[in-house]
């Protein structure tokens, strides 16, 4: 009870607003909704990115479709849509982080107490919550970097994306971002589904979450390696891919 009391008082930013039962319930719903949107987006996003493994043309086709190429006479998409969507996702991430910070331990003693509890009572969901906090802390710094890059330079394609990954060394960012975002998203979806009683088979759902973590990380690494191979073969300055 002592840790909970300190936790509820940790942030002057909130000014006690979320301590009211009504606002606390609304914050819980908002955190779950934004987390659900972000988790589902990660699944879709990594599959779209994996189209690079089918070839440059396949990835180019996917990008043009997502950027509204079907509404263009030339068939080329509108990069501004990438900027707009990136801004929207950044706002969702900020909202999710705002509501999630209510439950984040802010004192080193609280971290020690949590670790002590995990050692004494090795409950599976407590471990998941710990990994949620750890990956959430990492994503708090890395996700804005990724989104700001897309907002500043929205041009996407097999050559330009490979240039970022290989020549601009963005693979270093993605090597940390990928496992952190997948673990956070999949276990986050698990917790949302259990929390709101959408699915009652906790054991089966947890197994599915773990399988998805391994699958999505493997998928992301394979895509990243493909970008590295393409980038290695590109001469500078890089000429954007324009289709077959």
């Amino acid at each position: 009870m002592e840790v909970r009391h300190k936790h509820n008082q940790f942030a002057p930013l909130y000014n006690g607003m979320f301590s009211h039962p009504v606002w606390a319930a609304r914050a819980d719903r908002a955190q779950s909704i934004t987390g659900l949107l972000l988790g589902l987006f990660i699944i879709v996003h990594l599959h779209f990115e994996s189209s690079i493994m089918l070839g440059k043309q396949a990835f180019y086709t996917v990008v043009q479709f997502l950027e509204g190429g079907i509404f263009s006479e030339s068939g080329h998409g509108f990069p501004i849509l990438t900027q707009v969507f990136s801004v929207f996702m950044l706002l969702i991430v900020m909202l999710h982080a705002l509501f999630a910070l209510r439950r984040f331990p802010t004192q080193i003693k609280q971290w020690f107490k949590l670790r002590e509890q995990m050692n004494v009572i090795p409950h599976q969901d407590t471990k998941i919550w710990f990994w949620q906090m750890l990956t959430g802390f990492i994503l708090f710094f890395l996700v804005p970097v990724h989104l700001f890059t897309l907002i500043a330079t929205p041009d996407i394609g097999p050559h330009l994306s490979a240039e970022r990954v290989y020549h601009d060394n963005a693979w270093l960012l993605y090597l940390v971002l990928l496992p952190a975002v997948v673990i956070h998203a999949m276990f986050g979806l698990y917790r949302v589904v259990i929390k709101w009683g959408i699915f009652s088979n906790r054991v089966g759902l947890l197994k599915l979450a773990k399988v998805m973590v391994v699958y999505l990380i493997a998928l992301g690494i394979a895509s990243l390696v493909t970008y590295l191979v393409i980038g290695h073969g590109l001469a500078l300055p890089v000429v954007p891919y324009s289709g077959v």
Side-chain angles (χ1 to χ4, degrees):
M1 294 299 293
E2 181 184 354
V3 173
R4 179 177 298 181
H5 174 73
K6 289 182 179 179
H7 174 67
N8 287 336
Q9 303 296 325
F10 87 91
L13 175 65
Y14 293 102
N15 292 322
M17 180 177 67
F18 292 130
S19 62
H20 192 282
V22 174
W23 283 106
R26 291 176 179 175
D28 271 344
R29 285 195 296 270
Q31 181 181 347
S32 295
I33 292 172
T34 53
L36 181 64
L37 290 174
L38 292 171
L40 294 177
F41 169 75
I42 290 302
I43 296 175
V44 175
H45 177 60
L46 288 176
H47 281 89
F48 278 139
E49 286 288 343
S50 68
S51 64
I52 191 65
M53 293 187 290
L54 300 177
K56 296 180 182 180
Q57 183 60 33
F59 181 71
Y60 179 80
T61 301
V62 169
V63 170
Q64 299 310 310
F65 173 77
L66 294 177
E67 291 187 343
I70 58 175
F71 302 108
S72 170
E73 293 182 0
S74 63
H76 295 291
F78 305 95
I80 191 174
L81 293 180
T82 297
Q83 289 179 305
V84 172
F85 187 74
S86 297
V87 171
F88 172 74
M89 292 306 300
L90 181 60
L91 292 175
I92 296 296
V93 169
M94 291 172 62
L95 283 174
H96 183 69
L98 174 66
F99 295 121
L101 281 173
R102 297 175 302 121
R103 305 183 184 280
F104 202 89
T106 57
Q107 299 179 10
I108 191 64
K109 291 182 179 180
Q110 293 176 328
W111 283 97
F112 286 144
K113 285 183 178 293
L114 176 60
R115 292 295 298 173
E116 180 181 346
Q117 179 182 354
M118 290 173 60
N119 293 328
V120 175
I121 308 176
H123 191 267
Q124 191 71 27
D125 280 7
T126 302
K127 293 180 179 179
I128 290 175
W129 185 60
F130 174 80
W131 282 105
Q132 283 289 102
M133 289 191 299
L134 182 60
T135 54
F137 178 78
I138 295 173
L139 295 176
F140 183 80
F141 297 97
L142 298 188
V143 170
V145 174
H146 176 56
L147 291 176
F148 282 142
T149 300
L150 293 176
I151 294 171
T153 55
D155 295 315
I156 301 173
H159 285 180
L160 296 177
S161 297
E163 179 186 18
R164 285 196 192 104
V165 172
Y166 183 79
H167 290 287
D168 296 341
N169 292 316
W171 66 271
L172 294 170
L173 170 68
Y174 297 142
L175 203 60
V176 179
L177 178 61
L178 174 64
V181 74
V182 169
I183 290 172
H184 192 83
M186 293 306 100
F187 286 139
L189 288 176
Y190 159 79
R191 295 185 68 213
V192 168
V193 171
I194 293 299
K195 178 182 180 67
W196 298 103
I198 301 173
F199 192 70
S200 59
N201 188 345
R202 185 185 296 265
V203 175
L205 190 63
L206 183 57
K207 289 181 179 179
L208 177 60
K210 292 179 178 179
V211 169
M212 288 297 294
V213 166
V214 174
Y215 164 67
L216 290 176
I217 290 179
L219 185 68
I221 290 177
S223 302
L224 187 59
V225 170
T226 304
Y227 282 120
L228 287 171
V229 172
I230 294 175
H232 178 71
L234 294 175
L236 296 176
V238 172
V239 177
Y241 183 82
S242 58
V244 294

